[in-house]
Amino acid sequence: MTNFVLDCCTLINLYCGWGGLQNLQQIGPSFHLGQRVVDEILFIRDFDDDGSIVNHRLSADEVFLQYHFSILSLSSAGEENLMVRLATKLDDGEAEGLALASCRGFVFCSDDKPVADAARAEGLNTAIISTPELLQMWAGNNASRLSSLPAIIRRTSILGRFCPHRSSPFRTWWEKQRER
Amino acid sequence: MSTLSERLTLARKAAGVSQDSAARHLGISRPTYIAIEKGVRDAKPRELIALASLFKTQVNRLVRPEAPSLPISPHLRGEISGSGNEAGLSEAVDKLVGFVDDYQFLLEKTNSRLAPVIAPPQIERSEISINQLAARIAQSERSKLGLGQREPIGDIRKTLDEVGVHIFVDALNSRLAGLYAYVPNFGYCILVNRQHPLDRMRWTVAHEYGHFLFDRNQPGVDYLNSPARKPYSERFADAFAANFLMPAEGIRHQFEDAQLRSGDVNVGDVCRIADIYGVSLMAMTLRLEMMRLIHQGTWDFLRESGVKVRDIKLEAGLDLNMAKPGIETFPERYILLAIQAWNTEKITTSQFARLMRCSPIEAREKAESKSKSIIDADEMEISLRLDKSVLERGNATA
């Protein structure tokens, strides 16, 4: 079973796209969060009943009601050392998540190239996957999920203001899905 | 002292934590902790993580390779001595230190530099009165900045940013109007209280700019309603602000214009002139008194009459419902640097959001709105890459 550690922005993207995080259960009970991501109060957006966009503060309790993440804390000197080294290049939440994923053989979920650059600079072989890849993984070959992807991507774009960077190999795929 | 130990010391002081408490938090002796702050003993990663948590900061900030901004320690002026802590002075200074630190981080990330500031020559205290001196300096500054001799100043923040004065806006204790400081290796900074009305914020900026001109290397703070007589530099800054924001020629023109229209100048007219120049009714009334266009004591009379300024403004037909515009915390240049760093993938989205002091969604939204430009004539939307050089030959046809 593959284990995944989500960074804060990927969590926001998925929440905005799906309107919640329950769909993670369809991928598997293998998603984790670093303590620092949990400590950050997440600010997200959603559509109101009348279709207008509303701001919403997402509490940790609400997140856990939707998906039972396991919370990971740095627990060895190796993880702590790596986290501090990565923090010279990344935000604390990302540095912690990448250190945890790297030391435990998990996959780290992030859309930011500096994360991959930092991993490379540290000589880490950690697999890093992005929001588009997570959505593709979730959809798989399921016809119903595949047909819902354009709407999910539009929601992520509108509510989360997310679009893969120009340098992302998924940029074109994302834009095509959004236009469908 | 290493960069890390300097940053640790700064962060501890900003958090108001004693060396003894920090040592106890780490389970080490005080001398050992002091050795860390002196750079004699390296902090272990576990200790750094624990200290970041104790100091309520980011490990990322502690381990930045750039040397921190030197502490800005405003010298309390006589009349406010002892009231600094309760008025949130240290929090305000910490905020400014953090803003400057982030600004320098962005400059480093984007390989940018701030244009060197050519400080205006020091003003000599002359034999003429403070008001005359301030009027002369204000007139000269307006001319230098291309503001003319009578026009209201539109965006005072952008205007001063052009001459290298960095203006930050954030919520401060309501007793604190603003803070001015010179930060070595960075420049001149003004922090303005966001909680105050817009006209007061403009006044604060102009007042602090007066300090930049008069005593720029003497950091100071300005409190409201300070009971004691203000020192010379404060009186100069006030007089400068009045002349800078309300140039005599323009005010006289507006006043005479109003008089010509109805044969009289009433409170409503003063309100409208104040609105044109973006100052409060009190500031404009006092300015008219000083210019001897109205009787001395008019403001006292108005204040004692018990009429609310809001009611007067309503009667004068001024739009009170006009919302205070969303004022950015950071100068425009800072925001563009942050967007550039993010767009060119030098920083992550979380870092970008933290630098902008907002959520990742809001940060992305800001970047999107700044990076797009719509050319009205053709209804054509173009996306600008902020890091795109306009000097390189390949980027444009000859």
Side-chain angles (χ1 to χ4, degrees):
Chain A
M1 186 177 70
T2 310
N3 287 279
F4 300 90
V5 181
L6 289 174
D7 79 354
C8 177
C9 294
T10 319
L11 183 74
I12 291 171
N13 293 344
L14 294 176
Y15 190 101
C16 290
W18 286 327
L21 294 164
Q22 293 91 338
N23 286 353
L24 280 176
Q25 284 159 8
Q26 293 162 350
I27 302 177
S30 51
F31 284 87
H32 312 274
L33 294 176
Q35 182 62 52
R36 280 171 175 75
V37 171
V38 179
D39 292 343
E40 288 175 18
I41 299 170
L42 298 174
F43 165 85
I44 52 113
R45 285 179 181 165
D46 215 335
F47 287 116
D48 210 349
D49 291 339
D50 63 0
S52 54
I53 295 173
V54 287
N55 295 332
H56 177 57
R57 272 191 186 279
L58 186 62
S59 68
D61 289 345
E62 204 176 331
V63 167
F64 286 108
L65 275 177
Q66 295 179 11
Y67 183 86
H68 194 70
F69 288 100
S70 58
I71 306 304
L72 307 179
S73 298
L74 302 166
S75 59
S76 70
E79 288 177 350
E80 288 164 349
N81 292 353
L82 183 56
M83 186 265 169
V84 171
R85 287 205 304 277
L86 290 168
T88 58
K89 300 180 182 78
L90 305 172
D91 199 57
D92 279 15
E94 294 149 346
E96 182 191 54
L98 180 55
L100 288 164
S102 178
C103 292
R104 300 182 189 197
F106 296 174
V107 174
F108 189 54
C109 306
S110 172
D111 292 283
D112 291 301
K113 185 169 164 282
V115 171
D117 292 343
R120 204 175 305 114
E122 282 293 328
L124 307 176
N125 293 318
T126 316
I128 299 172
I129 66 167
S130 61
T131 300
E133 288 171 285
L134 280 166
L135 289 174
Q136 287 176 352
M137 191 188 297
W138 167 76
N141 292 320
N142 183 308
S144 156
R145 291 183 197 167
L146 283 169
S147 67
S148 67
L149 274 178
I152 290 168
I153 283 167
R154 274 193 292 276
R155 280 181 60 97
T156 314
S157 303
I158 294 166
L159 297 174
R161 318 301 298 185
F162 172 75
C163 179
H165 192 270
R166 284 184 296 273
S167 68
S168 164
F170 297 98
R171 169 78 168 225
T172 310
W173 175 83
W174 184 273
E175 286 177 340
K176 277 186 181 160
Q177 289 286 336
R178 194 174 55 190
E179 299 308 318
R180 269 175 60 191
Chain B
M1 205 178 189
S2 67
T3 299
L4 175 63
S5 52
E6 271 185 80
R7 286 189 172 277
L8 277 173
T9 309
L10 268 180
R12 179 181 57 74
K13 286 180 178 169
V17 175
S18 68
Q19 289 180 322
D20 196 39
S21 301
R24 271 189 277 117
H25 186 74
L26 297 182
I28 58 177
S29 69
R30 187 166 174 270
T32 307
Y33 179 77
I34 291 171
I36 292 175
E37 279 199 3
K38 283 186 173 169
V40 175
R41 174 190 178 283
D42 286 340
K44 294 171 186 164
R46 172 168 294 179
E47 292 169 339
L48 276 179
I49 294 168
L51 288 175
S53 162
L54 179 67
F55 300 158
K56 294 185 171 50
T57 188
Q58 292 260 305
V59 176
N60 170 272
R61 191 180 278 281
L62 291 178
V63 297
R64 278 183 187 173
E66 306 86 32
S69 320
L70 291 176
I72 308 163
S73 44
H75 303 295
L76 295 183
R77 297 191 190 282
E79 77 275 22
I80 48 168
S81 177
S83 63
N85 285 340
E86 65 187 78
L89 175 64
S90 60
E91 288 88 341
V93 173
D94 293 339
K95 273 188 178 177
L96 189 56
V97 170
F99 292 157
V100 172
D101 196 33
D102 285 350
Y103 208 142
Q104 289 179 317
F105 172 78
L106 281 171
L107 288 167
E108 192 273 332
K109 279 282 171 196
T110 53
N111 287 324
S112 306
R113 274 175 306 173
L114 291 171
V117 180
I118 302 164
Q122 207 71 45
I123 298 166
E124 297 296 329
R125 291 187 188 201
S126 71
E127 293 300 310
I128 59 174
S129 72
I130 285 188
N131 284 335
Q132 284 173 314
L133 178 65
R136 201 176 70 198
I137 302 294
Q139 201 171 17
S140 149
E141 283 302 309
R142 286 184 63 94
S143 170
K144 197 176 81 186
L145 295 166
L147 298 169
Q149 295 306 319
R150 58 160 70 171
E151 299 306 317
I153 300 175
D155 192 335
I156 191 169
R157 189 179 191 182
K158 272 190 185 163
T159 303
L160 298 188
D161 193 41
E162 287 304 312
V163 289
V165 179
H166 312 293
I167 300 169
F168 302 90
V169 180
D170 208 356
L172 306 175
N173 184 298
S174 60
R175 287 186 60 201
L176 198 60
L179 180 144
Y180 165 82
Y182 171 67
V183 183
N185 304 320
F186 181 72
Y188 303 96
C189 303
I190 295 173
L191 175 60
V192 186
N193 194 346
R194 178 189 293 285
Q195 319 256 46
H196 287 181
L198 203 53
D199 48 23
R200 191 181 290 170
M201 288 169 64
R202 280 168 59 84
W203 180 273
T204 300
V205 171
H207 173 101
E208 302 297 358
Y209 186 56
H211 280 303
F212 168 70
L213 299 167
F214 188 76
D215 55 350
R216 57 181 156 271
N217 295 331
Q218 291 291 315
V221 287
D222 300 312
Y223 289 88
L224 301 170
N225 308 320
S226 182
R229 177 177 159 78
K230 291 177 176 177
Y232 188 93
S233 65
E234 286 296 308
R235 285 182 285 137
F236 172 85
D238 271 342
F240 172 83
N243 282 281
F244 191 61
L245 292 173
M246 300 173 279
E249 201 179 311
I251 300 300
R252 185 169 287 110
H253 174 78
Q254 290 287 344
F255 187 87
E256 288 168 355
D257 204 38
Q259 203 167 19
L260 264 178
R261 278 199 302 268
S262 63
D264 187 21
V265 179
N266 59 29
V267 179
D269 292 321
V270 179
C271 255
R272 276 188 288 271
I273 301 172
D275 192 55
I276 290 168
Y277 283 88
V279 296
S280 65
L281 177 63
M282 179 178 90
M284 184 53 74
T285 311
L286 292 174
R287 178 77 173 130
L288 294 173
E289 284 183 28
M290 186 187 282
M291 292 174 64
R292 300 184 191 284
L293 291 170
I294 59 175
H295 294 296
Q296 295 290 313
T298 304
W299 172 247
D300 291 336
F301 167 75
L302 285 176
R303 196 177 48 188
E304 284 159 18
S305 70
V307 181
K308 289 181 179 165
V309 173
R310 183 187 164 79
D311 295 339
I312 300 175
K313 282 187 172 178
L314 269 176
E315 210 174 308
L318 297 172
D319 186 4
L320 294 177
N321 293 324
M322 207 169 68
K324 194 171 163 181
I327 300 166
E328 295 284 0
T329 300
F330 298 100
E332 180 85 354
R333 199 168 303 189
Y334 175 103
I335 295 170
L336 292 176
L337 283 175
I339 293 172
Q340 182 186 334
W342 181 65
N343 270 340
T344 54
E345 301 190 295
K346 300 269 173 46
I347 57 173
T348 66
T349 309
S350 292
Q351 284 176 305
F352 177 44
R354 206 175 289 280
L355 288 162
M356 298 290 286
R357 308 293 194 275
C358 63
S359 72
I361 295 177
E362 288 170 311
R364 288 169 178 166
E365 196 165 47
K366 270 182 210 249
E368 198 178 312
S369 66
K370 285 272 181 201
S371 300
K372 276 188 176 170
S373 170
I374 295 171
I375 300 174
D376 293 336
D378 299 319
E379 291 290 313
M380 182 173 73
E381 191 174 286
I382 56 168
S383 286
L384 297 175
R385 276 184 56 182
L386 297 171
D387 61 325
K388 197 81 177 164
S389 168
V390 291
L391 298 178
E392 281 173 28
R393 202 175 272 268
N395 288 342
T397 51

